[in-house]
Amino acid sequence: MNKHFLKTLPAAVALALSASAAQAALPIDFGGYIRSGFGTSSEGGKEACFGLAGASSKYRLGNECETYGELKFGGEAFKAANGTTFRINTLVAFSVNQNQDWEQSDPSWREMNVVADKIGTGAFAEARAWVGKRYYDRQDVHITDYYFWNNSGPGAGLENIDLGAAKLAYAIVRTADDGDSKRMGLSHDLRFSGIKVNPDGELTLGLQFNQKRNAQGAAPIASGHLLTIMHTQGNLLGGFNKVALQYGKGSAANTGGFSLGAGKDDKVVRLTEQIMIQPKGAWSGMGTFVYEDKETAGVSSKWTSIGARPVYHFTDNYSLAVELGHDIVKPEGGESRNLTKLTIAPQLSAGNSFWSRPVLRAFYTYAKWNKAAQSAAAAESALSSTGVFGGKTNGSSVGFQVESWW
């Protein structure tokens, strides 16, 4: 992709949407997310980032070695007299190594869809229909960037159908093989949300069924299913608690979607817990716990993660964040790998909330791991004996980072 195209891409998207909006006489909105920074390790070179082989996430604060961004352009394309609206949504994402001034990156079109809202009467009075490529109702733990429930991609669906005791959503999402157009799977995603079970608490129940849709002569793929039970407790010390229990089999033995390379006997059991608090006073924070028991190609592995990020707000704009996280991976027949990471980060932010952004940070990160983690690490990575820390099993980084969403 040439430089001229990358420079004109945002303008082209905005121009196309502006033309549509002009026809409907409605404004265009712009949103997004960015993070960027730089640093150095205790051994020299650029900042090191610490992640454990076999763990599905890492603790983020002072531990992100890339510049990443998402740019969102959207707007209402049409609004009918009966209240039905049609909205265009686009999102382009990019990531570079934050090594120098000019760094080439081919953008990724993560979202390109249209959502029709308030499409009927009765149970469909507040319902929505959508078609296109979409982030679909993703559930994550912010301090680890761990999307434990994520069935995103090109698809279509109906959502927010009022059943009285619950809201119903159905989506069908396609996953195709980049290298073989004959290999394809469909994920049928059924969710019941907003089920009131206690004061300020509600359940979400999810069933995903993966259907094989290979053409004749294609390499085989596996069907599968993913079951999810999630409880969200609101109004908890100014925040919330969210716990999810999941069981997946076959091509759905993951966090959602369709794994084309999975076997029919692959399976996963996962418990994800997170709590976010913002009580009256100077403190806020988030904590998380994950336990996952996974079997892939007949080999099992257990992953346990526990960590927290408390933040003390000195004033409306100045705060100190501390993040401590510990991961353990126990592969079948092998030694347990472990990694502990601690970060201290003074912050200048646009407000005194845990979620206040933009935020400018300085950080110091220290990590310690064992020999089993070192042996399993990818070559040249921070934990590897061929990485910047060599045969050591500890190391640190210092640096600066900005993070924002809007």
Side-chain angles (χ1 to χ4, degrees), residues 111-123:
E111 292 198 278
M112 184 71 70
N113 61 73
V114 172
V115 178
D117 199 11
K118 299 181 179 179
I119 61 175
T121 60

Side-chain angles (χ1 to χ4, degrees), residues 367-384:
K368 184 172 178 57
W369 55 97
N370 66 354
K371 287 292 186 180
Q374 185 179 71
S375 298
E380 305 299 326
S381 65
L383 272 61
S384 169

Side-chain angles (χ1 to χ4, degrees), residues 65-318:
C65 289
E66 72 286 332
T67 288
Y68 176 79
E70 295 179 342
L71 303 177
K72 299 170 63 174
F73 300 90
E76 288 185 344
F78 178 77
K79 185 172 184 178
N82 64 1
T84 300
T85 62
F86 290 80
R87 177 180 172 83
I88 299 171
N89 300 294
T90 70
L91 188 151
V92 61
F94 63 91
S95 180
V96 295
N97 292 326
Q98 63 186 26
N99 287 334
Q100 52 193 269
D101 175 20
W102 175 262
E103 293 179 286
Q104 183 70 50
S105 171
D106 290 345
S108 172
W109 284 104
R110 302 300 305 276
E111 292 198 278
M112 184 71 70
N113 61 73
V114 172
V115 178
D117 199 11
K118 299 181 179 179
I119 61 175
T121 60
F124 290 85
E126 301 295 325
R128 294 182 289 270
W130 64 275
V131 175
K133 196 171 185 181
R134 186 182 180 193
Y135 287 161
Y136 184 65
D137 196 15
R138 305 186 305 170
Q139 301 293 324
D140 75 309
V141 179
H142 173 73
I143 62 173
T144 57
D145 213 22
Y146 180 44
Y147 286 86
F148 60 88
W149 194 6
N150 181 16
N151 185 17
S152 298
L158 294 170
E159 61 191 27
N160 209 38
I161 302 169
D162 191 353
L163 302 182
K167 298 293 180 67
L168 170 65
Y170 168 74
I172 180 170
V173 180
R174 190 272 298 276
T175 302
D177 192 330
D178 280 338
D180 185 352
S181 61
K182 295 181 179 180
R183 300 184 78 219
M184 189 190 88
L186 298 175
S187 298
H188 301 271
D189 193 312
L190 193 65
R191 304 190 188 191
F192 298 87
S193 61
I195 305 171
K196 305 297 183 182
V197 291
N198 62 289
D200 297 316
E202 59 183 45
L203 280 180
T204 300
L205 307 177
L207 169 60
Q208 178 189 316
F209 171 71
N210 285 357
Q211 177 188 11
K212 299 181 290 185
R213 293 293 297 166
N214 269 1
Q216 187 174 358
I221 58 176
S223 59
H225 58 267
L226 177 67
L227 307 175
T228 302
I229 303 173
M230 185 171 71
H231 180 269
T232 303
Q233 183 66 47
N235 196 26
L236 179 66
L237 295 175
F240 64 88
N241 183 77
K242 186 177 291 186
V243 58
L245 180 64
Q246 297 175 292
Y247 173 78
K249 185 81 184 292
S251 58
N254 48 34
T255 55
F258 201 117
S259 295
L260 295 173
K264 63 182 181 64
D265 295 322
D266 289 359
K267 58 186 177 182
V268 65
V269 177
R270 181 186 304 109
L271 174 68
T272 305
E273 164 80 17
Q274 62 176 308
I275 181 171
M276 180 267 155
I277 61 171
Q278 181 90 40
K280 293 180 180 179
W283 288 96
S284 68
M286 176 177 281
T288 182
F289 172 80
V290 178
Y291 175 78
E292 179 181 271
D293 188 345
K294 192 170 187 176
E295 183 175 321
T296 305
V299 179
S300 67
S301 179
K302 296 178 175 62
W303 168 44
T304 305
S305 181
I306 185 168
R309 185 195 295 183
V311 182
Y312 185 80
H313 304 269
F314 298 100
T315 68
D316 284 348
N317 303 114
Y318 293 97

